[in-house]
Amino acid sequence: MSDTPQTSLKKDALGVPSLLFFVLSAQAPLTGIVGAAGLAVALGDGAGVPGAYLVVGLIIVVFAIGFTTIARHVDTRGGFFAIIRAGLGRRAGSGGSLLALLSYNTVQCAMYGLFGVSLAGLVSRQFGVSTPWWLWVGLAIAGVWFLGSRKIELGARVLAVLVACEVLLLVVFAVAVLATRGLSALDVPASFSPAAVLAGAPGIAIMFGIASMFGFESTAIYSAEVKDARRTVPRATYVAVVLIAAFLALVTWMLITYYGAAHAQDAALTALSGDPAVFALTPLNDVLGTWAGTVADALLCSSLFAGVLAFHNMVTRYFHAMAGGGIFPVRLERTNRHQAPAAASLTQSLLAAAAIVPFAALGVNPIATLFSWFSGLAVAALVVLYTLTSIAVVAYFRRNPAGASVWTGLVAPALATVLMLGVLVFVVGNFGVLTGGSALTVWLLLASVPVVFVLGWTGARRAEPAVAVLA
């Protein structure tokens, strides 16, 4: 018997539905509505937020054209790492891979913080027991490590149940608003006209839209574990983008309809002075009954758990691919009897714990610090990655023009580059609003993005294997 460590992931384990659940879990729809919708309406373009979400969806569809085209030609199990390396070289790929890890790890830690606070609050309200937020985070890290070290189908089933429950609640709410308010209450121009989308501070709404659609690109990361990757990855990517953009726009529009287009921003600003989640929870309680608020409270916690599990799986696949590419220690490429990246799973769990411990030890407000700072940093790093990826697609197909049409290999990714640079300007310009940090905090968080990229660039090994091209 060979003593060579196993490094292969389980093949043909996921189809389009399972892949979609991984993506939708990372996007945490209920968290996006309860946690972000009120902020986007209050600080952004008011009633025009649903239209802004559709604009973000359109931008991402343009990005996805080049992204899915190159996914048919390059082994994308390393996600951004593989694509940027294929187009711009191993040093840029290494820099991009560290940016991806920065983005996914920080957004996961942000969600852990919100999860801990939300579950501690739920336990307090329901049972009158006061518990520290970090206790629940510790238990969640252990649970995520367990699931991340088992068969990927197990994680997919858990995510399917959790995501289905939160989506169902929001769909029922949307239908109930239509039934109680009537079609006459719908004001299409107030939410979807160009004037509505561009009103107020549209950049902030677009920034929240990008944050709410975080993770759609993870379809490529699972290419080694899906059935017929050439077809499954593009299909799942497009379906995920269209579904989440339309879903967020619809549910947010129903919130606007509940309050009335003329009064929605005032209601959101009032909620902002206390708990921004009230902007979404008040309509849920009023339209569906008080049970809906209680269920939403519980589902918010399960939504966040699903999100941290999804990002855990994404990071472990990055570790696995980068170890295979010679950037990380080879031990992180090893898989266990479940063909799961067990060493990478343990490493990622320990990293998450190490990042969260200082916030718990210092006794700071995890929402104002851990959640706000890390979610803002994750969005900034991700938009830079989108930009680099689009540039890499153009570069790749300039060298391999037979692999794509002028539209899919040049025009669309070039347009995506311009659009993502525009989004990046919005993100940087409104970074203080997104993070709520001091000027020094904002500067340090933003500076970490180029610093991490440079570290990846300079740390790339010369002996890295060649890019794997799909037959």
Side-chain angles (χ1 to χ4, degrees):
M1 182 179 293
S2 173
D3 293 328
T4 303
Q6 177 176 285
T7 60
S8 61
L9 298 170
K10 188 171 184 180
K11 297 182 182 298
D12 300 328
L14 304 173
V16 172
S18 296
L19 201 51
L20 279 175
F21 282 121
F22 275 111
V23 175
L24 293 175
S25 298
Q27 293 165 335
L30 187 62
T31 304
I33 294 298
V34 175
L39 291 169
V41 173
L43 304 174
D45 50 0
V49 167
Y53 282 180
L54 289 185
V55 169
V56 171
L58 181 60
I59 292 173
I60 293 178
V61 165
V62 174
F63 168 82
I65 292 171
F67 180 81
T68 55
T69 300
I70 197 171
R72 295 186 176 97
H73 300 275
V74 175
D75 184 348
T76 57
R77 72 186 71 185
F80 291 119
F81 165 57
I83 294 173
I84 296 174
R85 182 179 60 169
L88 301 178
R90 59 182 176 78
R91 289 190 178 276
S94 178
S97 66
L98 287 196
L99 273 185
L101 289 175
L102 174 69
S103 182
Y104 293 144
N105 277 293
T106 50
V107 76
Q108 188 205 40
C109 288
M111 294 177 79
Y112 267 130
L114 184 56
F115 170 83
V117 172
S118 299
L119 189 51
L122 178 64
V123 170
S124 177
R125 287 188 294 273
Q126 296 299 317
F127 304 104
V129 178
S130 179
T131 54
W133 64 273
W134 47 262
L135 170 64
W136 301 110
V137 172
L139 292 173
I141 290 175
V144 166
W145 165 76
F146 175 81
L147 291 171
S149 303
R150 297 304 184 270
K151 293 181 180 179
I152 193 170
E153 300 98 320
L154 176 60
R157 294 188 191 104
V158 172
L159 293 177
V161 173
L162 299 181
V163 171
C165 289
E166 59 183 291
V167 169
L168 179 61
L169 176 66
L170 293 174
V171 168
V172 170
F173 165 73
V175 172
V177 171
L178 281 176
T180 56
R181 295 294 191 271
L183 294 177
S184 59
L186 299 178
D187 192 339
V188 176
S191 290
F192 297 101
S193 69
V197 174
L198 296 174
I204 293 178
I206 288 174
M207 187 171 61
F208 277 109
I210 290 287
S212 297
M213 298 179 199
F214 204 117
F216 75 90
E217 73 287 344
S218 64
T219 51
I221 297 173
Y222 299 101
S223 60
E225 299 163 273
V226 299
K227 303 169 185 175
D228 191 3
R230 277 187 162 183
R231 293 186 179 185
T232 302
V233 170
R235 285 178 182 174
T237 302
Y238 282 118
V239 172
V241 172
V242 172
L243 270 181
I244 196 64
F247 183 77
L248 289 175
L250 172 64
V251 177
T252 307
W253 190 26
M254 292 304 100
L255 290 173
I256 300 296
T257 300
Y258 171 85
Y259 288 106
H263 307 290
Q265 191 163 33
D266 290 338
L269 286 168
T270 300
L272 188 60
S273 63
D275 180 2
V278 170
F279 179 76
L281 293 177
T282 297
L284 277 168
N285 283 327
D286 186 38
V287 174
L288 298 179
T290 54
W291 66 268
T294 302
V295 170
D297 245 356
L299 288 180
L300 177 60
C301 297
S302 67
S303 172
L304 289 163
F305 182 81
V308 296
L309 175 58
F311 282 112
H312 174 86
N313 285 329
M314 290 159 66
V315 172
T316 57
R317 268 65 187 175
Y318 262 93
F319 283 162
H320 180 272
M322 291 166 68
I327 294 176
F328 281 177
V330 294
R331 181 175 179 81
L332 293 180
E333 192 184 13
R334 295 179 185 175
T335 54
N336 59 14
R337 63 188 178 87
H338 302 292
Q339 290 185 279
S345 180
L346 178 60
T347 301
Q348 200 284 322
S349 298
L350 292 175
L351 281 174
I356 292 167
V357 163
F359 292 90
L362 292 172
V364 297
N365 184 333
I367 301 300
T369 54
L370 177 60
F371 177 74
S372 298
W373 296 355
F374 278 15
S375 58
L377 175 57
V379 170
L382 189 68
V383 176
V384 171
L385 276 169
Y386 289 159
T387 306
L388 286 173
T389 301
S390 296
I391 296 172
V393 173
V394 173
Y396 178 83
F397 285 117
R398 279 181 63 84
R399 297 195 303 270
N400 305 276
S405 66
V406 173
W407 166 245
T408 59
L410 177 61
V411 177
L415 178 58
T417 301
V418 174
L419 292 172
M420 287 301 173
L421 284 172
V423 172
L424 184 60
V425 171
F426 282 135
V427 170
V428 173
N430 296 284
F431 198 74
V433 176
L434 184 61
T435 62
S438 65
L440 178 60
T441 300
V442 167
W443 186 88
L444 289 174
L445 290 171
L446 286 175
S448 67
V449 175
V451 167
V452 167
F453 179 79
V454 171
L455 287 174
W457 177 284
T458 57
R461 294 183 180 179
R462 295 184 179 278
E464 187 178 343
V467 175
V469 178
L470 298 180

